[in-house]
Amino acid sequence: MGAKPKTIDEYLGNVDPPQRAELERIRALVKKLVPEAEEAIYYGMPALKYKKRALVYFPASKKHMSFMPSSWAIEEHTDKLEDYETTEHSIKFTLDNPLSDKLIETLVRNHKRDIDADRH
């Protein structure tokens, strides 16, 4: 097994091309929504941080990808997530059932709002 990735580009370099393209789309969208977000690897997963806090994680596994805003964002928008498997902290999706730009925007703006309000 190779060294753990230190950057999002290194992480994505180890992801199958179709999933990589989807994660790149999410990465670009979140950075467009929150231009000051900084790239990081947390717990071995690609993440974007805002005000020194994780804004979103977006890892891949063999059968699905995950989008991890905050548990508050997931809880607040449960009605919009009925087509996805969710846990308290993550939304699982696939290439056949991707997250829409609108849904990602809603979740990211929600978590950004909570970080701005210093919610912990």
Side-chain angles (χ1 to χ4, degrees):
M1 188 158 183
K4 291 185 179 187
K6 292 181 173 55
T7 67
I8 291 177
D9 286 330
E10 286 178 17
Y11 180 94
L12 293 175
N14 294 317
V15 174
D16 287 338
Q19 285 186 323
R20 181 182 321 137
E22 182 62 12
L23 296 179
E24 287 281 12
R25 178 185 73 86
I26 290 170
R27 176 192 197 184
L29 178 58
V30 174
K31 288 173 81 172
K32 181 180 173 186
L33 294 167
V34 186
E36 60 273 34
E38 298 176 44
E39 296 190 350
I41 295 289
Y42 286 146
Y43 308 106
M45 297 181 286
L48 289 163
K49 62 183 183 176
Y50 171 69
K51 293 188 175 180
K52 299 183 181 180
R53 290 175 57 185
L55 178 65
V56 296
Y57 297 88
F58 50 103
S61 66
K62 287 188 186 225
K63 296 188 179 188
H64 69 273
M65 293 160 281
S66 297
F67 187 72
M68 304 162 76
S70 65
S71 57
W72 310 307
I74 292 171
E75 184 179 320
E76 187 171 324
H77 299 287
T78 302
D79 60 319
K80 296 176 182 81
L81 300 170
E82 294 171 349
D83 294 335
Y84 303 96
E85 181 181 341
T86 61
T87 67
E88 181 182 356
H89 299 285
S90 71
I91 304 157
K92 293 181 182 178
F93 64 99
T94 63
L95 293 171
D96 292 332
N97 187 24
L99 301 174
S100 70
D101 286 2
K102 183 177 180 181
L103 180 56
I104 292 168
E105 180 176 351
T106 297
L107 294 165
V108 168
R109 290 195 188 285
N110 181 281
H111 194 202
K112 181 181 181 294
R113 178 198 69 207
D114 289 340
I115 291 173
D116 286 338
D118 203 26
R119 184 174 183 185
H120 286 276

